[in-house]
Amino acid sequence: MGFRATYVFKKSKPIFIAVFIVWMLASIFFLPAFTVGIVEATTEAGIFDFNEFASVLINNGVDIGGSLAKTFSGDYIGTFLRMQVFLIIGLGFAAIVGMLKSTPKHEYTEMEHGSSDWCEKGEQYTILSPKKGILLAEKHYLPVDKRGNVNVMIVGRIRFW
């Protein structure tokens, strides 16, 4: 089970980078205009006017610096922080889904088929030779001066031009 966790964290670096970039871009460009739109479209009675929201969102979407400056004033900061929490939860969920999608199906995922990567600490050289003989794979030779069976079976097809 330990190989899965290390594999997932190794493969998830691009996911974490993408989530961080999306968070930064949304926090700078989208959330300030959205926050100003929500606060200004909500009346004092707590009623939300969607038409007012749409017009404020369009006006503040163009003026990124102005909406970003407004966001950090007293009336807007609470809504902005709540929107940040929702954004982080959403992006965290997306990152978890991406990590779950990158889990290996079995222990031999991304291991070259037909290689001796399954061997540990040179135990393949009790049978094979690292220097001379019949070439099986890179750095793996079947010695011809060995006693016993040295037959080789080729699986697949060989093309002749």
Side-chain angles (χ1 to χ4, degrees):
M1 187 63 189
F3 75 92
R4 287 182 189 231
T6 57
Y7 181 85
V8 167
F9 285 117
K10 183 176 88 173
K11 285 295 193 178
S12 296
K13 287 178 187 176
I15 295 170
F16 293 139
I17 292 170
V19 165
F20 180 73
I21 290 172
V22 168
W23 175 74
M24 288 295 292
L25 291 175
S27 295
I28 294 170
F29 296 110
F30 178 69
L31 279 185
F34 199 74
T35 301
V36 171
I38 288 175
V39 171
E40 291 184 4
T42 306
T43 62
E44 295 195 19
I47 299 171
F48 182 75
D49 183 13
F50 184 75
N51 292 328
E52 179 71 20
F53 171 73
S55 66
V56 170
L57 183 65
I58 290 170
N59 292 336
N60 285 314
V62 176
D63 183 23
I64 296 169
S67 62
L68 192 59
K70 276 185 187 180
T71 300
F72 293 107
S73 67
D75 296 337
Y76 301 95
I77 192 72
T79 306
F80 180 72
L81 292 177
R82 269 187 268 135
M83 298 306 290
Q84 279 287 345
V85 168
F86 290 135
L87 177 67
I88 289 170
I89 288 172
L91 290 175
F93 180 73
I96 289 171
V97 168
M99 287 172 59
L100 290 176
K101 290 281 190 181
S102 70
T103 57
K105 304 296 183 252
H106 49 77
E107 189 175 353
Y108 303 108
T109 299
E110 289 194 1
M111 188 179 290
E112 180 186 347
H113 297 293
S115 73
S116 62
D117 290 344
W118 48 268
C119 297
E120 295 177 354
K121 299 178 184 158
E123 68 185 349
Q124 71 268 25
Y125 295 121
T126 59
I127 299 170
L128 304 175
S129 170
K131 299 195 186 316
K132 62 179 182 167
I134 300 170
L135 178 65
L136 297 176
E138 183 181 358
K139 302 179 192 170
H140 295 96
Y141 297 89
L142 181 65
V144 290
D145 58 349
K146 175 182 173 203
R147 293 186 60 118
N149 188 355
V150 290
N151 294 332
V152 177
M153 179 175 83
I154 299 173
V155 178
R157 61 179 157 186
I158 299 174
R159 293 184 180 168
F160 292 100
W161 304 108

